[in-house]
Amino acid sequence: MTKIFKTDRELRFGDCDISGTAYFPSYLDILNGVNEEFWTFIGYPWHKIIWKERWGTPTVHLSCDFSKPSYFGETLSFELGVVKVGRSSMTIRHRISCGEEIRWSSKQVLAASDLDKHTSIQWPDAVRETLLEWLTTEEELGF
C-alpha cells in the first residue's frame, strides 16, 4: 500500500507579495513546516530529536518546479512521498496542488546529521525502519 503524507496550508498575507501572489521563499518555509509535521506524524518530532537526541535532518539538495501561481487565501494541499532511503539520507518528493490543479513540485534530499559534531550519521535503526515503511515510488506518487 502506498503511503503518502498529506496536509493542507492556507496561504497567508505574509506568504505573498504585494500583488497577492505566493512568494517562492515563503513556499520553502511552508515546505519546511510540512516536513516537520511529517516527522512528528511518524513519531520523531524535531523538538525531541534536536534537543534530546542531538541529531537533525538538514536539506542537502532541493529542486523545485513552479507550474502555476498561487494566491493569498488559497488552500494548498501538500503530498509528501519517501522515494529513497539510504544509509544516512533520504529522498522525498512533494506535490503541491490547489483543488485539482498542480501548482508546484519539489524533490528534496535530507541527511541524518549529528548536531554536535556537524557530520553525517547513519539513520538510527528505528528511524530507518520507519522510513522504509513509508517508501514508495515516483510512479505511485504520480510523477
Side-chain angles (χ1 to χ4, degrees), residues 77-127:
S77 297
F78 288 75
E79 295 176 282
L80 179 158
V82 177
V83 296
K84 182 179 178 185
V85 178
R87 182 187 72 79
S88 61
S89 67
M90 66 184 287
T91 303
I92 52 182
R93 289 296 310 253
H94 302 273
R95 181 178 34 242
I96 300 86
S97 58
C98 184
E100 298 298 315
E101 187 174 63
I102 303 297
R103 298 296 176 85
W104 61 289
S105 61
S106 177
K107 185 174 188 178
Q108 186 173 22
V109 179
L110 304 178
S113 176
D114 182 302
L115 297 177
D116 296 317
K117 296 177 184 174
H118 304 286
T119 59
S120 173
I121 59 170
Q122 285 185 253
W123 292 113
D125 290 339
V127 173

Side-chain angles (χ1 to χ4, degrees), residues 10 40 46 63-64 81 83 86 90 92 98-99 108 111 119 134-135:
E10 181 179 342
T40 297
W46 282 357
S63 63
C64 300
V83 296
M90 66 184 287
I92 52 182
C98 184
Q108 186 173 22
T119 59
W134 281 83
L135 195 59

Side-chain angles (χ1 to χ4, degrees), residues 4 12 23 49 69 74 87 109 115 119 122 128 130 140:
I4 300 171
R12 301 189 183 281
Y23 187 54
I49 65 171
E74 289 185 322
R87 182 187 72 79
V109 179
L115 297 177
T119 59
Q122 285 185 253
R128 189 168 197 284
T130 300
E140 290 174 312

Side-chain angles (χ1 to χ4, degrees), residues 9-31 64-78 96-98 101-104:
R9 294 286 190 282
E10 181 179 342
L11 284 174
R12 301 189 183 281
F13 180 75
D15 300 324
C16 301
D17 64 20
I18 195 70
S19 73
T21 305
Y23 187 54
F24 79 90
S26 293
Y27 270 160
L28 301 183
D29 187 47
I30 295 167
L31 191 71
C64 300
D65 293 305
F66 302 99
S67 49
K68 300 230 180 204
S70 298
Y71 302 97
F72 172 49
E74 289 185 322
T75 298
L76 299 179
S77 297
F78 288 75
I96 300 86
S97 58
C98 184
E101 187 174 63
I102 303 297
R103 298 296 176 85
W104 61 289

Side-chain angles (χ1 to χ4, degrees), residues 32 35 57-62 107-111:
N32 191 63
N35 286 340
T57 60
T59 297
V60 296
H61 177 79
L62 177 67
K107 185 174 188 178
Q108 186 173 22
V109 179
L110 304 178

